[in-house]
Amino acid sequence: MIMKNIKITILSLLVVAFFGCDQDDNINETFNSVSGQSLVAFAGPSSNLAVVIDGTGTVDVEIQVSTVSDSDRTVTVAVDEESTAAAENYTLVSNMVTIPAGSYSGMLTINGVDNSVEPQAETIILNITDTTASNPSITSNSQHTVNIFQICPVPETYLVGEYLLTDNGNGNFGTDVPVTITVDPDEPTNRLFTAEFLPGTGVAQDVGAVLTLGCNFYSLGTIDINVTCTQVTSYIIGSAGASNSMYDLADDTVHTVNYLEDLEADCGPTIVQNFTLTKQ
C-alpha cells in the first residue's frame, strides 16, 4: 500500500534543508537552537477557516523558527495568486507575524466574513516572503493552504454518541473501531473523536480527530503524527477541499467522510480516501 515505506522520524529542532538547483548539490545546512542558520516555516500544510453563514469565523496559522532569540523577530506572509477564495471574504489581521523573544513560533490570524463564502471549500494559499530571523535565516518554500468554507447551524445531537469507524482505503484507520463522538465545546459545528492512526504499521498512535460540519459537508482537520516517507517531509492527511463528502441532517446513522491522503505527496500522489462512521 501507499504507506509501505513510511518510517518514524523524531522531529526536533535539528532538520535538514535542501537547496534549489542553483546551489551546490552537495550543500547541506544544519539548523538547531544554539547555532547555525534559522529555518523559518509554516508549522503544517493546511488549516480550516469555517465561516458561519451570514456571519464570521477565524483561524490562527502557526509559523515556526528553528532557533530561539533574545529579541522579537518578524515574518512577512503574502497571499499567493493561485488562491481561489474571494478577497472580500477574509482579512489577514496583519501580514507581519511576530515571533516573541524566547519563543520558537508566532501566529498569523485570519478573519473570515460571509460576503460570498461558498459551502464547498475555497483556498487561501500563503507564502513566507521575508523574515528578520537571524544567524542568518533560510525561509522554507513550502506553502500553507487555508480552506475557507461556510458552515450552517446543526442540531447539537447530530453525529454525537457511539459509532464504529471503518477505513475504506489504504489503512489509515482500522475496521469496526468503536469511537465516541462529542461536540467541541468551543466550536459547536465541530465533532471530536479519538482513533488509532496507521494501525499495524509499527508507528501507530491514537489521534484526536476534528470533523467540521460545513453547510451539508464534512471537513476533516489535519492529522500529522510526525511520520515521514522521506528524510524531511511528512505523511499527513486532512480536508479533501472541493472533494469533501456531503451529509444529510435527516440521516444520522451512516456518515462517509472524504479526506486527502498524503498532503505532501511523499509516498505517492495526493489522493482522496474516506472512512465510514456507523451509529451504534
Side-chain angles (χ1 to χ4, degrees):
M1 61 183 178
I2 202 167
M3 296 176 293
K4 63 182 178 182
N5 294 319
I6 288 178
K7 61 180 180 179
I8 189 82
T9 297
I10 300 174
L11 295 184
S12 65
L13 295 175
L14 184 64
V15 298
V16 177
F18 296 98
F19 291 83
C21 59
D22 59 336
Q23 302 279 345
D24 184 339
D25 289 341
N26 295 320
I27 291 178
N28 289 322
E29 291 292 339
T30 299
F31 303 90
N32 58 62
S33 61
V34 179
S35 62
Q37 299 188 9
S38 299
L39 177 64
V40 182
F42 292 108
S46 66
S47 56
N48 290 332
L49 173 51
V51 179
V52 177
I53 186 171
D54 297 327
T56 61
T58 188
V59 67
D60 288 329
V61 176
E62 185 177 7
I63 295 175
Q64 296 179 335
V65 62
S66 62
T67 59
V68 72
S69 174
D70 57 5
S71 60
D72 289 356
R73 292 165 288 179
T74 59
V75 177
T76 304
V77 177
V79 176
D80 193 276
E81 63 183 12
E82 295 297 320
S83 302
T84 62
E88 67 177 356
N89 292 321
Y90 67 92
T91 57
L92 278 61
V93 172
S94 173
N95 71 329
M96 302 285 289
V97 178
T98 298
I99 299 177
S103 176
Y104 290 103
S105 65
M107 293 293 183
L108 171 72
T109 300
I110 304 177
N111 291 330
V113 58
D114 184 18
N115 288 311
S116 58
V117 179
E118 297 292 336
Q120 284 288 4
E122 296 179 303
T123 59
I124 307 166
I125 302 173
L126 304 174
N127 296 307
I128 297 174
T129 60
D130 194 18
T131 175
T132 63
S134 58
N135 295 334
S137 66
I138 289 180
T139 300
S140 169
N141 60 6
S142 63
Q143 297 179 314
H144 184 90
T145 299
V146 177
N147 300 295
I148 179 172
F149 52 86
Q150 189 184 73
I151 57 174
C152 299
V154 294
E156 62 181 10
T157 57
Y158 185 78
L159 190 49
V160 172
E162 304 302 318
Y163 284 79
L164 289 180
L165 184 156
T166 294
D167 183 86
N168 300 317
N170 286 330
N172 293 306
F173 299 97
T175 300
D176 290 335
V177 179
V179 295
T180 301
I181 302 179
T182 61
V183 177
D184 185 338
D186 298 318
E187 296 289 346
T189 56
N190 284 355
R191 298 296 183 263
L192 312 177
F193 63 88
T194 299
E196 187 179 35
F197 186 53
L198 302 181
T201 63
V203 297
Q205 62 179 270
D206 287 343
V207 296
V210 180
L211 191 58
T212 298
L213 299 177
C215 288
N216 300 322
F217 73 94
Y218 314 94
S219 181
L220 181 68
T222 300
I223 295 177
D224 177 5
I225 63 170
N226 296 339
V227 170
T228 68
C229 298
T230 68
Q231 290 293 327
V232 178
T233 47
S234 301
Y235 178 87
I236 301 169
I237 68 172
S239 172
S243 297
N244 280 324
S245 48
M246 310 294 286
Y247 66 85
D248 180 0
L249 286 178
D251 182 7
D252 193 25
T253 56
V254 178
H255 304 267
T256 299
V257 178
N258 287 355
Y259 61 89
L260 285 185
E261 175 184 81
D262 194 23
L263 293 180
E264 295 190 343
D266 303 319
C267 300
T270 299
I271 58 176
V272 178
Q273 295 288 330
N274 61 63
F275 58 81
T276 299
L277 296 165
T278 304
K279 194 163 191 174
Q280 298 304 289

